[in-house]
C-alpha cells in the first residue's frame, strides 16, 4: 500500500521560531508536494519537487522553504514562523505531474502562538 | 476501512455529455470540498459545502451530511475538463480532521 507519512501530526510553535515539517513516502514517486489548508478554504500549493535535491515554488511560497534530500523525503521549513502560518499542512506524492493518483499524508496541524 | 470512498476511479466522457462523481462517507462529516488537480500539482478549489448544493457554470455539487454523501455533477463536458478530481471531507472528533478521496481521473474525448 502506497504511503505518505507526515511528522509531527501536530505542533505548537512560537512566533519567530523555526519549524520543520517532515514528509516521507514509500511510493517510489518522483513528485512530492506541500499544501496548506485553512479552515473553510481549499488547498494551496506551497512548494513541490520532481527530483531529489531540487525544489520548485508553488502558488504561495513566501515564508516557506523546502528541502528534498532524497526521493523519499521532502521537508517544509518555516524559518521565522508567523501567526498567519497557522494552518493544516498536507504532504502528497504522485508518480508524475499528470493525471495519476495522488497520495496524501494525514496532515500536520500547526498552531503558531 | 476508508472513511471516504470516491467513485468512479476513472471516467471517460465525450464532449458535450455529462456525468456525476460521488463520495460516500462512513461517518458524519462537517463539510466537503471538491478540488481539481491541474498539471502542475495545484489543487483548484471547486466547491466548499457545509450543506445543500452549489452551482458554478457547468459544475454542480451537493452535500448531504445525514445521508453521508456528496456529488459533483459535470454537464456539457469540454476537453479542458480532463483531469483528476478529489473530494475532501472535514470532521471533528477531538481535533479537526480532513480526509481525501482517492480521486477520479476524468478523460474528456472529442
Amino acid at each position: 500500500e502506497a504511503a505518505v507519512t507526515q511528522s509531527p501530526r501536530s505542533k505548537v510553535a512560537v512566533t519567530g521560531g523555526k519549524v520543520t515539517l517532515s514528509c516521507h513516502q514509500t511510493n517510489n514517486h518522483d513528485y512530492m508536494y506541500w499544501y496548506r489548508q485553512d479552515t473553510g478554504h481549499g488547498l494551496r500549493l506551497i512548494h513541490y519537487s520532481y527530483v531529489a535535491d531540487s525544489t520548485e515554488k508553488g502558488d504561495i511560497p513566501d515564508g516557506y522553504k523546502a528541502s528534498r534530500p532524497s526521493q523519499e523525503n521532502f521537508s517544509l521549513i518555516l524559518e521565522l514562523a508567523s501567526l498567519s502560518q497557522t494552518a493544516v499542512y498536507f504532504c502528497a506524492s504522485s508518480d508524475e505531474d499528470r493525471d495519476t493518483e495522488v497520495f496524501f499524508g494525514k496532515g500536520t496541524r500547526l498552531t503558531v502562538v | 476501512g476508508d472513511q471516504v470512498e470516491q467513485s468512479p476511479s476513472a471516467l471517460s466522457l465525450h464532449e458535450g455529455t455529462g456525468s456525476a462523481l460521488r463520495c460516500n462517507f462512513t461517518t458524519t462529516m462537517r463539510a466537503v470540498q471538491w478540488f481539481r488537480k491541474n498539471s502542475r500539482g495545484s489543487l483548484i478549489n471547486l466547491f466548499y459545502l457545509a450543506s445543500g448544493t452549489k452551482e458554478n457554470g457547468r459544475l454542480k455539487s451537493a452535500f448531504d451530511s445525514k445521508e453521508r454523501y456528496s456529488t459533483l455533477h459535470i454537464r456539457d463536458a469540454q476537453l479542458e475538463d480532463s483531469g483528476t478530481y478529489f473530494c475532501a471531507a472535514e470532521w471533528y472528533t477531538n481535533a479537526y480532521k480532513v480526509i481525501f478521496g482517492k480521486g477520479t481521473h476524468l478523460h474528456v474525448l472529442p
Side-chain angles (χ1 to χ4, degrees), chain A residues 1-81:
Chain A
E1 174 93 7
V4 177
T5 305
Q6 293 181 228
S7 63
R9 292 296 314 280
S10 67
K11 184 175 179 62
V12 179
V14 177
T15 302
K18 182 176 180 178
V19 177
T20 300
L21 306 183
S22 300
C23 181
H24 178 79
Q25 55 112 348
T26 59
N27 307 326
N28 198 33
H29 287 163
D30 289 326
Y31 281 82
M32 296 187 74
Y33 313 86
W34 275 107
Y35 300 92
R36 68 173 281 175
Q37 185 193 37
D38 302 277
T39 306
H41 297 84
L43 286 174
R44 292 179 289 172
L45 180 65
I46 306 170
H47 286 287
Y48 67 101
S49 168
Y50 54 84
V51 68
D53 295 322
S54 178
T55 64
E56 305 293 331
K57 293 181 179 180
D59 299 322
I60 53 164
D62 294 343
Y64 302 94
K65 292 183 180 178
S67 174
R68 184 91 182 270
S70 64
Q71 187 192 41
E72 298 80 16
N73 296 294
F74 191 38
S75 298
L76 185 68
I77 303 154
L78 290 67
E79 295 281 1
L80 296 169

Side-chain angles (χ1 to χ4, degrees), chain B residues 20-98:
Chain B
L21 314 181
R22 185 178 177 103
C23 282
N24 291 325
F25 314 119
T26 57
T27 188
T28 301
M29 299 297 182
R30 177 183 177 273
V32 68
Q33 304 179 61
W34 284 93
F35 303 94
R36 177 186 161 189
K37 178 176 173 283
N38 71 10
S39 61
R40 202 180 63 142
S42 291
L43 289 177
I44 301 167
N45 185 29
L46 300 176
F47 294 104
Y48 176 82
L49 299 98
S51 65
T53 63
K54 288 187 178 179
E55 190 166 358
N56 184 6
R58 296 178 290 103
L59 300 177
K60 181 177 179 180
S61 183
F63 173 49
D64 190 325
S65 176
K66 183 178 179 182
E67 297 299 323
R68 301 182 180 180
Y69 76 91
S70 178
T71 56
L72 177 68
H73 293 259
I74 301 173
R75 62 176 176 84
D76 188 24
Q78 304 297 306
L79 295 177
E80 58 266 28
D81 294 332
S82 294
T84 305
Y85 293 77
F86 293 93
C87 70
E90 297 180 9
W91 85 100
Y92 288 91
T93 54
N94 56 350
Y96 166 75
K97 294 183 179 180
V98 175

